[in-house]
Amino acid sequence: MARFRNKKKVFVKPVSKKQQATVDHVTGDKIPRSFVFSRYRLPGPLKQLQADLRKLMLPYTALKLKENRRNKLKDFLNVAGPMGVTHFLMLSKTPTAPYLRVARTPQGPTLTFKIQEYSLATDVVRSQLRPRCPQDLFKNAPLVKLSSCQRIVLLNYNKDTKLIDFRHYSIRLQPVGVSRRLRRFVQNHQVPDLRNLQDVSDFVTKAGYGSESEADDEAATVTLASDLGRVNRASTKSAVKLQEIGPRMTLQLMKIEEGLCSGGVIFDEFGNGDGKKTKDNHEDMENDEDEHDEEDEENDEEDGDDIEED
């Protein structure tokens, strides 16, 4: 006689996507989120700069934002609200120079920068003898909170040239007074080569081993409030080391508008910021975009107008 077994129903708990925080637990302010996209066609190097800027703005940006050349600014604005996006970073290219617009959604203001010079992240890495880019480097935003921050963006304004130096660095802490060999031993858990030593203590005290500590600048040291990693302990001094990871830009502020890429001009590099729309040397940027509008309507009729975030 056949035997029948009771079949147990298996309940599989659905996997839910981890929600990102919406409020900074330190300042209590709303965490800004961004879209980084282009306004019409970009040459290859500027497309890579756009990818570098998206990576820089992680984790609160759309890294794989899919855009269409026919998408208008209002298309991005329509999806920005439901997704909590607060800022737009828009790259464009004119016959004279590339531009970067930084806008606050949904009503502005908008800052227009002329990109005088730029270097891609790959260019910065190639110029370094020992580049550093850990896998978890982009888990946190580039903000100044030493306990969790691993990178930082620094802006330096030159009053004489009126240029802004944009630099992106990784942050590394090193304990003060600890030799390089001991530091590597603790961090990497690699067994040191002791074949030519009489005792383990020689590894620490012998000249050439214990004297490898780098000169630490007192102004570049901090006292930690809690343990960070295996070698940086609470209540001890650690040296702050910065290493550039790119991208690098030299910017010039050209215009500030009240609205989202429109409205009265609050500031104008050519001295016409009186709250009215002006015509100046960056008018070619607006005219160039109008030309792209006409080209895209003729050549891209088969494309859709969707914006997707992967």
Side-chain angles (χ1 to χ4, degrees):
M1 184 175 179
R3 295 182 180 180
F4 296 93
R5 295 182 180 180
N6 294 330
K7 294 183 179 180
K8 296 182 179 180
K9 294 182 179 180
V10 180
F11 174 74
V12 180
K13 185 178 180 180
V15 179
S16 58
K17 188 177 180 180
K18 186 178 180 181
Q19 297 292 330
Q20 290 183 330
T22 57
V23 178
D24 191 295
H25 65 280
V26 177
T27 63
D29 299 332
K30 183 179 178 180
I31 295 177
R33 301 174 186 272
S34 63
F35 275 169
V36 182
F37 56 92
S38 62
R39 300 298 289 137
Y40 314 103
R41 295 184 180 91
L42 292 179
L46 281 179
K47 287 183 180 179
Q48 185 58 47
L49 178 62
Q50 174 181 284
D52 289 346
L53 288 176
R54 287 183 179 180
K55 194 173 182 180
L56 181 147
M57 298 300 293
L58 285 174
Y60 302 110
T61 193
L63 181 61
K64 298 180 180 180
L65 180 67
K66 297 179 180 179
E67 52 185 306
N68 190 293
R69 286 182 297 181
R70 292 186 63 192
N71 289 136
K72 305 297 182 181
L73 188 59
K74 63 180 180 180
D75 298 328
F76 294 96
L77 194 59
N78 289 337
V79 299
M83 298 180 64
V85 175
T86 58
H87 292 79
F88 286 168
L89 279 74
M90 299 165 282
L91 283 168
S92 61
K93 177 69 170 65
T94 72
T96 57
Y99 286 84
L100 172 66
R101 288 179 177 177
V102 180
R104 181 75 161 87
T105 64
Q107 298 178 347
T110 303
L111 284 72
T112 300
F113 297 93
K114 183 177 182 180
I115 304 178
Q116 300 284 1
E117 298 176 350
Y118 69 93
S119 297
L120 303 176
T122 54
D123 298 330
V124 174
V125 170
R126 289 171 184 169
S127 66
Q128 297 174 349
L129 182 61
R130 293 178 181 144
R132 177 182 179 270
C133 189
Q135 295 181 353
D136 59 347
L137 189 63
F138 296 92
K139 285 185 177 180
N140 297 308
L143 303 177
V144 184
K145 184 176 182 296
L146 199 56
S147 61
S148 61
C149 181
Q150 297 191 47
R151 56 196 179 96
I152 186 173
V153 173
L154 297 180
L155 302 175
N156 178 60
Y157 177 69
N158 190 317
K159 294 182 180 180
D160 298 328
T161 61
K162 297 183 179 180
L163 298 179
I164 301 172
D165 294 325
F166 182 103
R167 300 290 185 269
H168 185 206
Y169 296 95
S170 66
I171 300 177
R172 184 162 47 102
L173 296 178
Q174 294 181 354
V176 175
V178 179
S179 68
R180 186 182 305 172
R181 287 185 178 270
L182 283 179
R183 190 166 60 244
R184 289 179 179 175
F185 170 68
V186 175
Q187 290 175 337
N188 303 328
H189 293 289
Q190 294 180 351
V191 179
D193 185 3
L194 305 177
R195 289 177 297 179
N196 298 326
L197 302 178
Q198 298 296 328
D199 191 81
V200 177
S201 60
D202 293 342
F203 180 76
V204 180
T205 60
K206 187 176 180 180
Y209 289 93
S211 61
E212 287 187 359
S213 298
E214 298 177 357
D216 297 306
D217 185 3
E218 186 70 20
T221 61
V222 294
T223 302
L224 302 179
S226 59
D227 294 345
L228 291 178
R230 300 188 183 99
V231 295
N232 296 284
R233 296 299 180 180
S235 302
T236 61
K237 285 189 176 182
S238 294
V240 180
K241 306 292 184 180
L242 298 181
Q243 183 168 347
E244 188 173 5
I245 55 179
R248 175 194 304 177
M249 293 187 292
T250 301
L251 307 172
Q252 181 182 9
L253 180 61
M254 304 299 295
K255 182 171 59 174
I256 302 177
E257 298 169 285
E258 292 179 349
L260 184 63
C261 299
S262 62
V265 178
I266 301 175
F267 167 82
D268 191 290
E269 173 62 21
F270 300 97
N272 297 321
D274 53 359
K276 299 179 181 180
K277 290 187 177 181
T278 59
K279 294 183 180 180
D280 46 45
N281 287 353
H282 42 252
E283 185 184 33
D284 60 347
M285 177 172 55
E286 299 172 357
N287 294 337
D288 186 65
E289 292 181 354
D290 293 339
E291 294 176 2
H292 282 302
D293 275 342
E294 297 176 358
E295 293 177 3
D296 291 338
E297 289 177 359
E298 295 176 358
N299 300 330
D300 300 331
E301 291 182 356
E302 69 279 3
D303 296 337
D305 294 337
D306 296 335
I307 300 174
E308 299 180 3
E309 181 193 6
D310 191 358

